[in-house]
Amino acid sequence: MYIMQTEDLDLYYGAVQALKKVNLNVEKNSVTALIGPSGCGKSTFLRTLNRMNDLIDSVKIQGKVLFENKDVYSEYDVIDLRKRIGMVFQAPNPFPMSIYNNVAYGPRIHGIKDKNKLNEIVEKSLKGAAIWDEVKDRLNKNALGLSGGQQQRLCIARTLAVEPDVLLMDEPTSALDPISTLKIEELMDILKKKYTIIIVTHNMQQAGRISDYTAFFLNGEVVENDKTENIFYKPKDKRTEDYITGRFG
C-alpha cells in the first residue's frame, strides 16, 4: 500500500529546473533510500514531501505530491502536514533547552498541557529513539551537552513526540561517528514497523543495509526505483549500474 506518491513532479528554483517529472511511490512501513551524486535533487525532492520548500521564495512546483491520496499542496494545512510528516536533518539541531523540553516542545504546541501526559510522551518518544536509558537521569540538563549521536537520536525523539506517520531523514548520519551511525541504522529497522521512512543518503553501503526500496536520482530525474536488492544487484539502467559500481558520482 502506497502512503505517498508523486506524479510528474517538476520543481524550479527560479529559472533552474531541479526536479524533472519525478514519479515515485512510497510503500507504507518501509525504508526508502534516495541515492545519487551531490546536487542531483535528492534533498530537494525530500523537502517537497512536507512542503519545506515553501520557505524558499523562488520555488515553483508543478505536478502532484500525494499523501494518503490527498494533495499535500491543496488538501492539507501545512502545520498538520508537518506534524504527520516529520523531518530529521543532516546536522543534529536540538533546541538550546533541556532534554525534556526538546521532546515536549511539539506536543505543547499542539495543545497538550497535562504534565502526566507530557511525561508519558517524553518517555515513550525517548524510548522510541533508543536513547531513554542514556538520558533518563538527566532530563532537565541542556540538550546541547549530549554527544552528536545522542543529539541526533534526541531529534528523532522530538519528531516522534507528535506521532507522525512518515519520517523524512536528510543524511541523518553524515555528521556522526561509525558507532552512532550504527545505532541510528538499527533504530530505523525498529521504527519502520510503525512509521514509513524516506532517507537521503550518500553512503551506498548504508542504503544497501537499511532500505527496502531505493530510488536513484540523477540530474533531477529518477533513473530507477525498485526493491533495494534489484537496484544493487540487477539494475535495469546502465547509469544505475555505473553509479552503484563507482564509475561516477
Side-chain angles (χ1 to χ4, degrees), residues 139-181:
L139 294 177
N140 295 319
K141 294 270 180 12
N142 194 308
L144 300 180
L146 296 172
S147 72
Q150 288 173 324
Q151 286 187 13
Q152 192 64 303
R153 279 181 288 144
L154 176 65
C155 293
I156 293 170
R158 189 174 68 194
T159 307
L160 299 182
V162 294
E163 300 191 322
D165 298 284
V166 178
L167 283 176
L168 307 178
M169 295 185 160
D170 194 357
E171 294 194 53
T173 62
S174 65
L176 305 181
D177 62 84
I179 291 167
S180 299
T181 296

Side-chain angles (χ1 to χ4, degrees), residues 83 95 101-112 158 161-162:
K83 178 175 183 282
F95 303 136
N101 285 335
N102 261 276
V103 184
Y105 184 86
R108 282 184 179 132
I109 280 184
H110 291 288
I112 295 171
R158 189 174 68 194
V162 294

Side-chain angles (χ1 to χ4, degrees), residues 53-213:
N53 288 321
D54 288 15
L55 305 170
I56 304 166
D57 287 341
S58 63
V59 162
K60 188 174 86 186
I61 289 172
Q62 295 165 341
K64 283 188 172 176
V65 179
L66 303 175
F67 171 49
E68 294 185 336
N69 294 320
K70 289 161 68 177
D71 193 311
V72 306
Y73 285 89
S74 61
E75 297 182 76
Y76 281 98
D77 169 74
V78 71
I79 306 289
D80 290 341
L81 181 74
R82 289 192 193 138
K83 178 175 183 282
R84 297 193 60 197
I85 305 177
M87 188 144 194
V88 177
F89 296 92
Q90 187 169 353
N93 60 343
F95 303 136
M97 53 177 74
S98 73
I99 293 166
Y100 183 98
N101 285 335
N102 261 276
V103 184
Y105 184 86
R108 282 184 179 132
I109 280 184
H110 291 288
I112 295 171
K113 300 281 185 278
D114 180 83
K115 183 76 172 140
N116 291 333
K117 180 71 178 151
L118 285 171
N119 290 348
E120 196 181 300
I121 290 170
V122 169
E123 182 173 342
K124 185 179 167 194
S125 304
L126 290 167
K127 281 179 174 169
I131 191 176
W132 170 254
D133 289 339
E134 294 164 57
V135 301
K136 63 185 178 189
D137 298 325
R138 45 176 174 155
L139 294 177
N140 295 319
K141 294 270 180 12
N142 194 308
L144 300 180
L146 296 172
S147 72
Q150 288 173 324
Q151 286 187 13
Q152 192 64 303
R153 279 181 288 144
L154 176 65
C155 293
I156 293 170
R158 189 174 68 194
T159 307
L160 299 182
V162 294
E163 300 191 322
D165 298 284
V166 178
L167 283 176
L168 307 178
M169 295 185 160
D170 194 357
E171 294 194 53
T173 62
S174 65
L176 305 181
D177 62 84
I179 291 167
S180 299
T181 296
L182 184 63
K183 283 186 175 169
I184 301 269
E185 289 183 4
E186 287 170 347
L187 177 58
M188 279 188 244
D189 199 45
I190 296 163
L191 290 175
K192 76 175 181 188
K193 294 179 177 71
K194 192 172 176 191
Y195 309 93
T196 301
I197 298 171
I198 306 169
I199 177 172
V200 168
T201 178
H202 265 117
N203 183 327
M204 213 87 71
Q205 288 80 15
Q206 181 175 70
R209 282 193 300 266
I210 62 165
S211 67
D212 303 292
Y213 299 91

